[in-house]
């Protein structure tokens, strides 16, 4: 009897201007693929890589409606006829899939499970694969995504991270949506121990107070990026 092992492959790509990570995820057997959080300025790079690797792109998935860059998902769909997935809470006029907690994305034999992890925005999705979670900006390596706009909520952020992500096995790899300090990935066990905001049993009320005390400036591109991303990046 021949058994074929399910194998998920991952490529992590970066947009240096916005420090955004884009991920290409595929099933090694069928070569069916998804791109997570593509950036509009990098679409040429991503399409070339997809072609070089011989992948069949099924989905362009967003972890949330971004405020700091414009998505490349609309342009990628124009080239490769994939389906765009965003959370059902996003006021998106252009997506094909309105995703909710518990949905499964199939890439051949590989499955990505949608976990709704709101708090950075109300559209946050983490995509859980076999031993890996792509968590967008809700949890960053040794940090967490800001909670002060786009229906962000520090209490929800704490609950999403501690009840949904920190209950995954400790060895689960964490691939975030951004990093500003040179890190590429982490693990659940590592963040539970060393994340300065949430690690080592940090209390919910302390976390809320900390997040509310931050005086952060508005992202430069916010006024154009949010409506642009609600239109899948298909704007001037
Ligand atoms: Fe974000």
């Amino acid at each position: 009897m021949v058994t074929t092992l399910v194998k998920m492959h991952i490529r992590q790509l970066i947009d240096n201007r916005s420090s955004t990570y884009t991920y290409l995820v595929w099933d090694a057997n069928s070569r069916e693929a998804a791109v997570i959080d593509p950036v509009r300025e990098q679409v040429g790079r991503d399409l070339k890589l997809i072609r070089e690797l011989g992948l069949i792109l099924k989905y362009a998935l967003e972890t949330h409606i971004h405020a700091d860059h414009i998505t490349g998902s609309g342009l990628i769909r124009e080239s490769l006829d994939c389906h765009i997935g965003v959370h059902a809470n996003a006021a998106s006029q252009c997506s094909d899939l309105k995703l909710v907690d518990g949905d499964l994305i199939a890439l051949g034999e590989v499955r990505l499970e949608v976990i709704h992890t709101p708090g950075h925005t109300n559209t946050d999705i983490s995509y859980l694969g076999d031993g890996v979670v792509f968590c967008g900006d809700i949890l960053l390596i040794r940090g967490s995504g800001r909670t002060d706009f786009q229906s962000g909520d520090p209490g929800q952020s704490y609950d999403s991270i501690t009840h949904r992500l920190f209950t995954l096995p400790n060895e689960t790899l964490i691939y975030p949506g951004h990093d500003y300090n040179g890190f590429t990935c982490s693990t659940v066990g590592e963040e539970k121990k060393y994340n300065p905001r949430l690690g080592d049993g940090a209390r919910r009320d302390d976390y809320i107070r900390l997040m509310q005390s931050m005086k952060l400036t508005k992202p430069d591109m916010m006024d154009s990026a949010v409506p642009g991303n609600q239109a899948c990046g298909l704007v001037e």
Side-chain angles (χ1 to χ4, degrees), residues 64 66-68 120 137 178:
H64 59 297
H66 310 278
D68 58 352
H120 171 57
D137 299 355
H178 294 282

Side-chain angles (χ1 to χ4, degrees), residues 37 63-64 115-127 133-147 151-162 164-166 174-178 195 197-198 207 211:
D37 288 340
T63 56
H64 59 297
I115 309 178
H116 187 209
T117 47
H120 171 57
T121 73
N122 66 347
T123 64
D124 298 322
I125 289 174
S126 296
Y127 296 96
V133 66
F134 303 94
C135 61
D137 299 355
I138 185 72
L139 177 62
L140 303 176
I141 298 171
R142 308 298 193 266
S144 60
R146 62 193 293 175
T147 57
S151 307
D153 180 291
Q156 276 190 339
S157 166
Y158 181 92
D159 294 340
S160 291
I161 294 167
T162 59
R164 305 300 303 269
L165 299 179
F166 281 3
I174 289 175
Y175 279 110
H178 294 282
N195 191 301
R197 297 183 187 173
L198 291 134
Y207 179 76
M211 296 308 281

